[in-house]
Amino acid sequence: MKLYSKYTRYLVAVDCIIFGYDILEKEIKLLLIKRSFDPGKGKWSLAGGFVDENESLDDAASRILRKLTGLESVYMKQSYAYGETNRDPGDRVISVSYFALIAIRDINRELTQQNEAHWRSIARLPDLIFDHSAMVKKALTDLQGQVKIRPVGFELLPEKLTLVQLQALYEAIYQREIDKRNFRKKILSMGILEKLDEKEKETSKKGAYYYKFDKDKYDKLKQSGFYFNLDVN
Amino acid sequence: MKLYSKYTRYLVAVDCIIFGYDILEKEIKLLLIKRSFDPGKGKWSLAGGFVDENESLDDAASRILRKLTGLESVYMKQSYAYGETNRDPGDRVISVSYFALIAIRDINRELTQQNEAHWRSIARLPDLIFDHSAMVKKALTDLQGQVKIRPVGFELLPEKLTLVQLQALYEAIYQREIDKRNFRKKILSMGILEKLDEKEKETSKKGAYYYKFDKDKYDKLKQSGFYFNLDVN
DNA sequence: AATTTAAATGTAAGGTTTACACTTAAAATT
DNA sequence: AATTTTAAGTGTAAACCTTACATTTAAATT
């Protein structure tokens, strides 16, 4: 079945920009790896790997994420294909980047330790190998675009969340402040949050009510023409 | 320099979704090819090709477009990387799609004829090989997103254009009608169109004034924080 | 001179976005 | 028990943007 024999073949990799949110420090973090092999041994890099024969690009991205975090069925999205001839000095490698959104507390810490993976704030990232810094920059722009038009920010938070936490998350993603009353008005007016009879009491005396993202309601609204939009000031 | 010797290599292709606008029929068209080789010989396909050793993905896309149309320095943008294991029955091929915007009258007709390329309206596309129909669908969504936030619609029109033509283009891209007065108000209020002292007289007795996209002005505005936005009703 | 055709134009109502400051709940302190 | 402290929670008015909508104008044709 090899019909295109005269053409050159290349290594194809997938690199994962794994976003987490640190609810205490109010910072978006990336899961980065101290590289254990050359080229770039000892340097910081994204989690990546070569595509196997029996898997699609999406499958490869899921496998890489699972191996590092233990997580299955996480929100993932392809970001961009990088194909400069010299982007990896080891060989010609075409790399497709994916970004993933995960709740930091869900990950398997044994696995991350084993792989020398560490959470680093996007506000002060180390230099990354190859074109990985460009991949991160692009993925962050993608993320900003996504959280505006889809309720994917919830992927980065625990199931029970306060509006204070949700706003802080958006502020961390956009890296600017948001007006509290306007933010609440907008998100609540969508009718996709369920208010719980329980308060988060760690961070204040008064306590903040927990809410839960109501996926069923969101799906129904979407079907009837509703578009999530959090255009935030 | 081959440091990753144990991994499988794959063919990497680029497929181009070449959008043109038929100003008379008021339709977005795609430049499609009757495939001259197997698999899929005789079927319709996008213009595509394998990535050469000495070229990036972007370079490959430019080369493919140039070979088919004779055009250089055309608006092109990566759309998506397709990597299902069985997407091409001939072999495992990872394909990165690009979309291009060109003014139909600019192309070299000899080249397109030679390559069995034909313009087909997106409103009634034939079946395409492999996953090319999915590529088109995604690229059209990308295009709709782009023309809303960037002045790239002009790439599909002659340098001198009327507001009637520009509106018809947007209607063709969005596949719905737009209010004339609101459309004009919005596009003119951006201050990026220069009104010429000349009328287009083919399509009406009164004639419609020609305008020209003023790239310098747009670049200056953009630098001072302006964002193109044609949110059209 | 009258008719035909498509281009060009303005406004008011409705809706959304923005800016902004005080009250409340509950724990901690006196 | 009263007071203080801290962060959560709340509403409104002005400015701005979006939408809906119908008549006039220019020029060719009859």
Side-chain angles (χ1 to χ4, degrees):
Chain A
M1 283 276 266
K2 301 272 173 101
L3 294 177
Y4 313 117
S5 47
K6 66 174 176 174
Y7 297 100
T8 308
R9 286 149 201 277
Y10 307 100
L11 291 163
V12 178
V14 161
D15 286 302
C16 296
I17 296 101
I18 303 169
F19 288 109
Y21 177 62
D22 183 329
I23 212 164
L24 297 174
E25 300 202 28
K26 299 178 184 170
E27 283 182 335
I28 296 289
K29 299 201 165 177
L30 285 183
L31 195 54
L32 296 179
I33 287 180
K34 263 259 165 69
R35 218 170 196 243
S36 62
F37 54 91
D38 268 319
K41 187 169 173 180
K43 291 187 182 158
W44 289 100
S45 101
L46 295 170
F50 294 106
V51 175
D52 281 349
E53 289 180 34
N54 58 358
E55 69 185 3
S56 66
L57 294 170
D58 289 3
D59 291 342
S62 298
R63 169 176 56 81
I64 288 159
L65 189 76
R66 188 173 58 246
K67 263 176 42 186
L68 193 61
T69 65
L71 296 174
E72 304 259 10
S73 67
V74 153
Y75 177 89
M76 278 195 109
K77 195 168 185 300
Q78 190 188 112
S79 175
Y80 201 73
Y82 293 82
E84 293 300 314
T85 53
N86 58 352
R87 52 172 295 283
D88 182 332
D91 200 340
R92 171 107 198 230
V93 180
I94 280 97
S95 178
V96 180
S97 70
Y98 280 75
F99 70 91
L101 305 182
I102 72 179
I104 289 182
R105 61 175 171 70
D106 287 346
I107 67 163
N108 179 329
R109 273 159 220 287
E110 269 177 54
L111 282 177
T112 51
Q113 262 167 42
Q114 211 170 283
N115 288 290
E116 291 239 53
H118 302 266
W119 288 104
R120 300 288 304 254
S121 165
I122 51 158
R124 40 200 144 71
L125 282 187
D127 285 345
L128 303 181
I129 56 161
F130 310 164
D131 47 4
H132 287 197
S133 295
M135 289 181 178
V136 169
K137 197 172 163 193
K138 168 92 168 92
L140 183 62
T141 306
D142 291 349
L143 175 60
Q144 290 172 341
Q146 283 299 301
V147 296
K148 195 185 136 113
I149 59 166
R150 271 185 248 288
V152 293
F154 300 106
E155 306 285 341
L156 292 163
L157 290 168
E159 207 190 351
K160 294 191 297 187
L161 55 111
T162 69
L163 295 185
V164 175
Q165 290 168 348
L166 188 64
Q167 180 180 342
L169 170 67
Y170 271 82
E171 290 179 332
I173 291 173
Y174 287 123
Q175 305 193 94
R176 65 183 158 78
E177 294 196 346
I178 296 169
D179 182 275
K180 179 159 69 162
R181 280 179 285 192
N182 293 336
F183 180 83
R184 283 162 175 254
K185 213 186 318 170
K186 277 177 200 166
I187 187 73
L188 287 176
S189 74
M190 292 190 205
I192 58 174
L193 288 181
E194 185 190 341
K195 187 175 185 172
L196 304 182
D197 244 353
E198 190 189 352
K199 280 182 164 182
E200 188 276 323
K201 309 270 304 184
E202 307 289 298
T203 42
S204 89
K205 293 159 187 171
K206 183 175 178 180
Y209 278 105
Y210 277 123
Y211 289 78
K212 214 172 83 181
F213 171 57
D214 189 337
K215 183 153 186 349
D216 282 1
K217 216 168 205 172
Y218 169 67
D219 287 340
K220 269 182 206 129
L221 283 168
K222 200 169 58 157
Q223 272 193 317
S224 54
F226 162 83
Y227 287 96
F228 182 92
N229 188 274
L230 238 178
D231 206 341
V232 106
N233 70 326
Chain B
M1 281 276 268
K2 301 272 172 105
L3 295 176
Y4 313 118
S5 47
K6 65 175 176 176
Y7 298 99
T8 308
R9 288 149 198 278
Y10 307 100
L11 291 164
V12 178
V14 161
D15 287 302
C16 297
I17 297 101
I18 303 169
F19 287 109
Y21 177 62
D22 185 328
I23 213 164
L24 296 174
E25 300 202 28
K26 298 177 185 173
E27 283 182 335
I28 296 289
K29 300 202 162 176
L30 285 183
L31 194 53
L32 296 180
I33 287 178
K34 264 258 165 69
R35 217 170 197 246
S36 61
F37 55 92
D38 268 319
K41 186 169 172 175
K43 292 190 181 157
W44 290 100
S45 102
L46 295 170
F50 294 107
V51 174
D52 282 347
E53 289 181 35
N54 58 358
E55 68 185 4
S56 65
L57 294 170
D58 290 2
D59 291 341
S62 299
R63 169 175 56 81
I64 288 158
L65 189 75
R66 188 174 58 245
K67 263 175 44 186
L68 192 62
T69 64
L71 296 175
E72 304 259 8
S73 68
V74 153
Y75 178 89
M76 279 195 106
K77 197 170 183 301
Q78 189 187 110
S79 175
Y80 201 73
Y82 293 83
E84 293 300 314
T85 53
N86 58 352
R87 52 172 295 284
D88 182 331
D91 199 340
R92 170 104 199 236
V93 180
I94 281 97
S95 178
V96 181
S97 69
Y98 280 75
F99 70 90
L101 305 182
I102 73 180
I104 289 181
R105 62 175 169 73
D106 288 346
I107 67 162
N108 179 328
R109 275 159 219 287
E110 269 177 51
L111 282 177
T112 53
Q113 261 167 41
Q114 210 170 285
N115 288 290
E116 292 241 53
H118 303 265
W119 288 105
R120 300 288 305 253
S121 165
I122 52 159
R124 41 200 144 72
L125 283 186
D127 284 345
L128 304 180
I129 55 162
F130 308 163
D131 48 3
H132 287 196
S133 295
M135 289 182 180
V136 169
K137 197 172 163 194
K138 167 92 168 94
L140 183 61
T141 307
D142 291 348
L143 175 61
Q144 290 172 342
Q146 283 300 301
V147 295
K148 194 185 136 110
I149 59 166
R150 272 185 247 286
V152 293
F154 300 106
E155 306 286 339
L156 292 163
L157 289 169
E159 208 191 351
K160 294 192 297 187
L161 54 112
T162 70
L163 295 185
V164 175
Q165 290 167 348
L166 188 64
Q167 179 178 344
L169 170 67
Y170 271 81
E171 289 178 332
I173 292 172
Y174 287 124
Q175 305 193 88
R176 64 184 158 77
E177 294 195 347
I178 296 169
D179 182 275
K180 178 157 70 161
R181 280 179 284 191
N182 294 337
F183 180 82
R184 284 163 175 253
K185 211 186 320 170
K186 276 178 201 166
I187 187 72
L188 287 177
S189 74
M190 292 191 208
I192 58 174
L193 286 181
E194 186 190 340
K195 188 175 186 174
L196 304 182
D197 244 355
E198 188 189 352
K199 280 182 165 183
E200 189 277 322
K201 309 267 308 184
E202 307 290 298
T203 41
S204 90
K205 293 161 186 166
K206 182 177 177 181
Y209 278 104
Y210 276 122
Y211 289 78
K212 213 172 85 183
F213 172 57
D214 188 338
K215 184 153 187 346
D216 282 0
K217 216 168 203 171
Y218 170 66
D219 287 340
K220 270 182 206 130
L221 283 167
K222 199 169 59 156
Q223 272 194 318
S224 54
F226 162 83
Y227 287 97
F228 182 93
N229 188 275
L230 239 178
D231 207 341
V232 106
N233 70 325

